[in-house]
């Protein structure tokens, strides 16, 4: 792929994730809503302030750039430093507790299992994993390894790690498909299904395929979920992208209209959509409202330089 095109996709992915988060944050925990209401919300809000989803994604990129690849100790310390600077970003209950355990001397790759029995299966490691998908897009085995390891810092449950790997792989598949080329939705889902190593995710992805033509959003939520667990949000985000792959705006609005964990599902859907379509596909009026846009753009460019 032409280098300039790839750069646009890196930007589209990270800016797309942050905007999905910033817009979705207005509706977190709410019920299913009309898509028109979400579209008018997007027009009304003056600033798209991001939450923990983007704050932690920023930490992942900062660490990948500075370490020129994955370094678990460095990434954990980056998360801690960022959290202590801005603890009010709406973090889930688990990560701040893990950070305290690491600060007390526990190694980065064992602290998370001390929090929930068997580790957290929340979506907190999938919501921040897009940069891993971008950096390791050409090597699925390495992508899985780094997605798992980056997840283990805070989310060591199998379902948390697998959710992160699937989201990273969806970003990689989107990145590797030229934006002028139509997405083969069945082939996309088949690749994800084969990549998944957990039966529960394989089943969810199979359900996703069945639902591609579904108009009833209550049924989509009933089957795929819209919750804070990785299993109930990562396949949903992938579905939101595949439902309308040609439009970043429609993917994000649709994701938020499903209610529930809207910032996270819209952020993950936005990351995949942006990685496919590139930065130009994200409405300019939305981009102008994004908090800290220049810094996120700078990180996207540096990650692209690291990758190429
Ligand atoms: O996953 P996490 O970082 O939260 C991310 C969410 C996103 O929606 C963000 O936008 C932000 O709002 O928070 O935080 P965790 O505490 O690791 O997991 C989230 C939730 O999943 C927990 O509060 C639990 O309700 C649930 N959970 C578990 N419950 C029981 N047993 C996760 N793991 C377990 C478990 O092992
Ligand atoms: Mg959040
Ligand atoms: Mg959320």
């Amino acid at each position: 792929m032409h280098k300039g095109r790839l750069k646009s996709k890196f930007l589209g992915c990270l800016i797309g994730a942050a905007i999905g988060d910033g817009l979705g944050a207005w509706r977190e925990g709410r019920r299913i809503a009309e898509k028109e209401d979400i579209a008018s919300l997007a027009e009304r809000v003056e600033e798209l302030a991001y939450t923990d989803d983007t704050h932690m994604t920023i930490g992942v990129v900062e660490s990948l750039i500075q370490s020129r690849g994955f370094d678990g100790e460095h990434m954990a310390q980056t998360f801690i430093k960022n959290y202590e600077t801005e603890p009010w970003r709406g973090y889930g209950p688990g990560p701040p507790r893990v950070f305290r355990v690491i600060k007390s001397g526990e190694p980065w790759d064992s602290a998370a299992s001390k929090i929930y029995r068997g580790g957290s299966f929340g979506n907190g490691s999938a919501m921040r994993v897009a940069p891993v998908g971008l950096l390791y897009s050409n090597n699925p085995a390495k992508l899985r390894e780094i997605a798992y390891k980056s997840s283990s810092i805070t989310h060591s449950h199998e379902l948390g790690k697998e959710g992160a790997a699937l989201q990273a792989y969806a970003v990689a598949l989107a990145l590797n498909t030229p934006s002028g080329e139509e997405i083969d939705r069945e082939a996309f889902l088949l690749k994800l299904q084969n990549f998944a190593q957990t039966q529960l995710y394989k089943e969810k992805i199979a359900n996703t395929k069945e639902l591609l033509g579904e108009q009833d959003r209550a049924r989509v939520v009933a089957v795929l979920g819209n919750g804070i667990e990785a299993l109930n949000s990562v396949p949903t985000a992938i579905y939101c992208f595949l439902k309308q792959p040609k439009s970043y705006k429609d993917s994000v609005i649709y994701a938020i209209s499903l209610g529930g964990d809207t910032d996270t599902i819209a952020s993950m859907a936005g990351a995949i959509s942006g990685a496919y379509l590139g930065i130009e596909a994200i409405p300019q009026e939305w981009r102008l409202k994004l908090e800290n846009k220049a810094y996120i753009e700078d990180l996207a460019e540096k990650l692209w330089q690291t990758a190429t």
Side-chain angles (χ1 to χ4, degrees), residues 133-251:
L134 295 177
L135 191 56
Y136 300 103
S137 70
N138 292 324
N139 187 342
K142 184 89 177 162
L143 176 148
R144 181 197 301 284
E145 179 202 330
I146 304 304
Y148 282 180
K149 283 184 176 163
S150 70
S151 177
S152 298
I153 300 172
T154 51
H155 294 67
S156 54
H157 193 286
E158 187 193 357
L159 294 178
K161 291 196 293 187
E162 189 74 356
L166 279 170
Q167 169 64 12
Y169 191 52
V171 165
L173 291 176
L175 183 78
N176 290 334
T177 310
S179 26
E181 192 179 291
E182 203 157 313
I183 290 271
D184 181 338
R185 304 192 294 177
E186 307 247 326
F188 194 96
L189 285 171
L190 193 62
K191 282 184 187 158
L192 284 163
Q193 209 173 343
N194 290 333
F195 183 77
Q197 290 186 338
T198 314
Q199 192 54 31
L200 283 171
Y201 277 105
K202 284 187 186 287
E203 285 165 18
K204 271 278 171 116
I205 296 164
N207 294 339
T208 305
K209 200 181 316 178
E210 303 296 314
L211 284 170
L212 282 173
E214 180 63 61
Q215 296 300 315
D216 180 3
R217 284 172 301 141
R219 177 139 189 276
V220 170
V221 171
V223 177
L224 297 181
N226 63 3
I228 200 170
E229 307 81 11
L231 184 64
N232 292 326
S233 51
V234 173
T236 315
I238 293 167
Y239 174 80
C240 292
F241 162 63
L242 288 176
K243 186 102 179 148
Q244 43 265 308
K246 289 186 179 146
S247 168
Y248 170 86
K249 192 172 180 176
D250 291 349
S251 296

Side-chain angles (χ1 to χ4, degrees), residues 10-67:
F10 272 60
L11 282 161
C13 177
L14 297 187
I15 295 289
I19 289 176
D21 176 19
L23 191 55
W26 288 85
R27 303 279 316 177
E28 200 175 10
R30 306 278 275 276
R31 293 181 196 189
I32 292 175
E34 294 305 321
K35 283 180 271 185
E36 294 71 28
D37 292 343
I38 308 301
S40 84
L41 170 73
E43 279 175 31
R44 283 198 316 276
V45 299
E46 282 176 14
E47 191 193 29
L48 294 170
Y50 57 79
T51 76
D52 59 324
D53 304 55
T54 302
H55 199 213
M56 292 204 84
T57 304
I58 287 173
V60 171
V61 189
E62 287 172 340
S63 182
L64 289 174
I65 294 166
Q66 287 164 27
S67 310

Side-chain angles (χ1 to χ4, degrees), residues 28 52-53 90 92-95 116 119-124 155 228 261 263-264:
E28 200 175 10
D52 59 324
D53 304 55
Y116 297 101
S120 171
F121 49 66
N123 55 21
H155 294 67
I228 200 170
D261 194 359
D263 63 336
T264 305

Side-chain angles (χ1 to χ4, degrees), residues 114-127:
K114 306 267 186 276
I115 298 303
Y116 297 101
R117 189 200 286 266
S120 171
F121 49 66
N123 55 21
S125 61
M127 73 185 187

